[in-house]
Amino acid sequence: KIKHFSMGLKVKMYKHTLKFKFEAGTSRGVYTEKDTFFLKIFDSENPAIFGLGEAAPLHGLSIDDFPNYQDILQGACDTFNGLDLEVFEWNINIILSQLIDDRLPSIKFGFETALLDYMNGGKRVIFDNNFVKVEKAISINGLVWMGSKAFMMEQVEEKISTGFNTIKMKIGAINFDEEISILASIRERFSAEQITLRVDANGAFSPDEAPEKLSQLSDYQIHSIEQPIKQKQIDAMMSLCEN
């Protein structure tokens, strides 16, 4: 709950287009730029203190990638600016339920993080923990984007040289044998105990071909695969998990 804040809390939206440094390939296309939306929540009586959040759906990938997304987001901002927050006892979950429904998780995320940042004094702190205090790191994987085999190998080498011990490679856009050869080259040098391998197919495989491709991937001690087949194929995914 948020407590003891002015009733003059408002939000403004700012659109920003991010430019990729390289062509970021997925099995559903190549990204060269990405629109994102920043939300600034502030007290109109003290605008110097503000919270920031980001609503950032991925085109072609996110559940809430709607053509009129910006209009929907602006509508949520207008609703927020008209709320009597005291009525909801400054409870974030209740406030979010008044703004948008569950079909738009990126908008909920943007508002939630902006509110939490504001709660923490507008210091770009969502949760006051050891990560924010630079006392503890968060273990993440090194992401290898799709592209030519040479480009992907270059990324692999860069990730390993900078100390990543988990590599996540996007697959499904180039020849599968070439993707397998990249994984094989890593396994020739590093065991599963030394380097963890994960792959993300972004739904590139059909339900019929997925079992064989998963079988081939298993030869290289793959930790996990993200979205081997497209979404909304519940029975097919259940069969893959079972087998």
Side-chain angles (χ1 to χ4, degrees), residues 20-86:
F20 279 75
K21 293 183 178 180
F22 55 87
E23 292 187 347
T26 76
S27 62
R28 302 190 200 179
V30 175
Y31 290 99
T32 57
E33 62 180 32
K34 177 192 176 300
D35 290 335
T36 194
F37 300 87
F38 293 103
L39 298 176
K40 180 181 180 180
I41 289 180
F42 59 96
D43 183 342
S44 56
E45 298 176 2
N46 185 18
I49 298 176
F50 57 88
L52 288 180
E54 182 181 10
L58 278 169
H59 179 63
L61 294 174
S62 296
I63 191 174
D64 50 3
D65 173 37
F66 297 120
N68 60 336
Y69 182 90
Q70 185 169 347
D71 293 335
I72 296 172
L73 178 56
Q74 184 60 59
C77 291
D78 294 341
T79 300
F80 180 89
N81 289 334
L83 288 179
D84 181 354
L85 299 180
E86 194 67 30

